[in-house]
């Protein structure tokens, strides 16, 4: 089982460049998330999606855009990269089992992005 | 809003018990989780507890929940060097989002 796959694993960008991070899951999960992880700050939610064709803002959405054209893919775009976006980015997915059921989140391996 | 707090570092000797603590603010939390992150990897679920329980044991892991104080702890018995990792406390109130703490980095000294 592939689970949640993120590409690329590493990237160095110059300030002002754009890029797209791809997240793919093969578990037919409804919910998908993009987090960034910075030292001492844990995981902060950037954007999330509750189903194909839907997206919503998380805690730190500025400077990022997302799309969920297919259920299995969730793309994170940086239109004009800034050094403050240097971080490790994690994608996660989880199934929709209703409000009263435990639903574990499955994480990708992360993308380490450096903006110089 | 919802918040989850945990200390950033813990150092123990191999063979000792480790206790990682977490506090949360959302009184409507239904599930509370402990995730483990090893170097260079994503987070993996270690264990979870439902809010109507106050203790859960799973081999070397014991989770204690004090709902009145909104305090969650993870005890690892007989800590091994392979337990060195970052441990994240997380909670969900059954909605779309899972709120994570900042993570506790556990150092295990041989």
């Amino acid at each position: 089982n592939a689970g949640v796959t993120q590409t690329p694993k590493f990237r160095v960008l110059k300030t002002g460049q754009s890029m797209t991070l791809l997240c793919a899951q093969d578990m037919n999960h409804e919910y998908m998330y993009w987090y960034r992880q910075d030292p001492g700050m844990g995981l902060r939610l950037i954007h999330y999606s509750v189903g194909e064709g839907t997206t919503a803002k998380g805690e730190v959405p500025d400077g990022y855009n997302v799309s969920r054209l297919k259920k299995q893919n969730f793309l994170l775009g940086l239109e004009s990269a800034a050094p403050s976006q240097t971080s490790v980015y994690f994608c996660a997915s989880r199934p929709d089992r209703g409000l009263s059921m435990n639903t574990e989140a499955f994480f990708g391996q992360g993308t380490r992005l450096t903006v110089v | 809003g919802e918040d989850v707090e945990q200390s950033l570092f813990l150092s123990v000797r191999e063979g000792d018990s480790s206790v990682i603590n977490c506090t949360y603010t959302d009184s409507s939390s239904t599930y509370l989780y402990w995730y483990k992150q090893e170097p260079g990897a994503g987070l993996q679920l270690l264990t979870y507890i439902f809010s109507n329980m106050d203790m859960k044991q799973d081999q070397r892991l014991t989770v204690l929940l004090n709902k009145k104080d909104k305090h969650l702890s993870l005890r690892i018995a007989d800590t091994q060097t392979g337990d060195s990792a970052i441990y994240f406390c997380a909670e969900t109130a059954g909605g779309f989002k899972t709120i994570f703490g900042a993570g506790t980095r556990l150092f295990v000294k041989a």
Side-chain angles (χ1 to χ4, degrees):
Chain A
N1 278 344
V4 179
T5 304
Q6 291 181 231
T7 51
K9 289 187 171 44
F10 303 94
R11 185 75 185 268
V12 178
L13 283 182
K14 291 183 180 177
T15 298
Q17 284 185 318
S18 63
M19 79 163 293
T20 300
L21 282 67
L22 171 64
C23 176
Q25 53 97 1
D26 61 2
M27 297 172 282
N28 202 36
H29 287 171
E30 286 76 16
Y31 301 157
M32 295 187 75
Y33 309 85
W34 275 107
Y35 293 91
R36 59 179 288 173
Q37 182 180 25
D38 301 292
M41 302 188 78
L43 291 173
R44 292 185 291 169
L45 183 64
I46 305 172
H47 285 279
Y48 64 100
S49 167
V50 301
E52 181 179 313
T54 76
T55 63
K57 292 181 181 179
E59 193 184 341
V60 288
D62 293 342
Y64 305 95
N65 57 72
V66 286
S67 65
R68 184 115 181 255
L69 298 179
K70 292 183 180 180
K71 187 177 184 180
Q72 63 267 34
N73 295 336
F74 194 30
L75 278 63
L76 178 71
L78 285 74
E79 289 184 350
S80 178
S84 61
Q85 294 177 304
T86 294
S87 188
V88 181
Y89 291 85
F90 285 99
C91 176
S93 72
R94 68 181 174 99
D96 177 9
R97 294 203 188 118
L99 297 181
S100 61
M101 297 292 290
N102 167 41
T103 54
E104 172 190 349
F106 292 82
F107 283 81
Q109 294 295 296
T111 297
R112 186 173 294 275
L113 175 67
T114 303
V115 183
V116 297
Chain B
E2 310 109 333
D3 195 20
V4 176
E5 293 193 357
Q6 47 185 133
S7 54
L8 295 183
F9 300 99
L10 176 66
S11 179
V12 300
R13 291 190 183 279
E14 193 174 19
D16 287 350
S17 292
S18 308
V19 180
I20 303 172
N21 295 300
C22 167
T23 56
Y24 60 97
T25 57
D26 189 348
S27 56
S28 63
S29 293
T30 50
Y31 284 95
L32 296 122
Y33 304 85
W34 285 104
Y35 284 83
K36 179 182 180 182
Q37 183 184 30
E38 295 185 350
L43 281 69
Q44 286 194 304
L45 183 69
L46 202 56
T47 186
Y48 68 92
I49 189 166
F50 187 47
S51 59
N52 69 352
M53 299 168 63
D54 46 28
M55 186 180 94
K56 181 178 180 182
Q57 189 144 5
D58 183 2
Q59 298 182 339
R60 291 191 298 123
L61 306 178
T62 303
V63 179
L64 295 177
L65 175 61
N66 181 329
K67 206 173 173 191
K68 175 174 167 288
D69 294 338
K70 299 192 188 72
H71 182 265
L72 182 74
S73 68
L74 173 69
R75 179 177 180 269
I76 306 173
D78 188 24
T79 312
Q80 302 298 306
T81 54
D83 295 323
S84 293
I86 303 176
Y87 291 82
F88 289 89
C89 173
E91 60 97 4
T92 177
F96 306 127
K97 299 182 212 174
T98 305
I99 308 299
F100 289 86
T104 299
R105 187 179 291 272
L106 176 64
F107 296 95
V108 182
K109 295 177 284 189

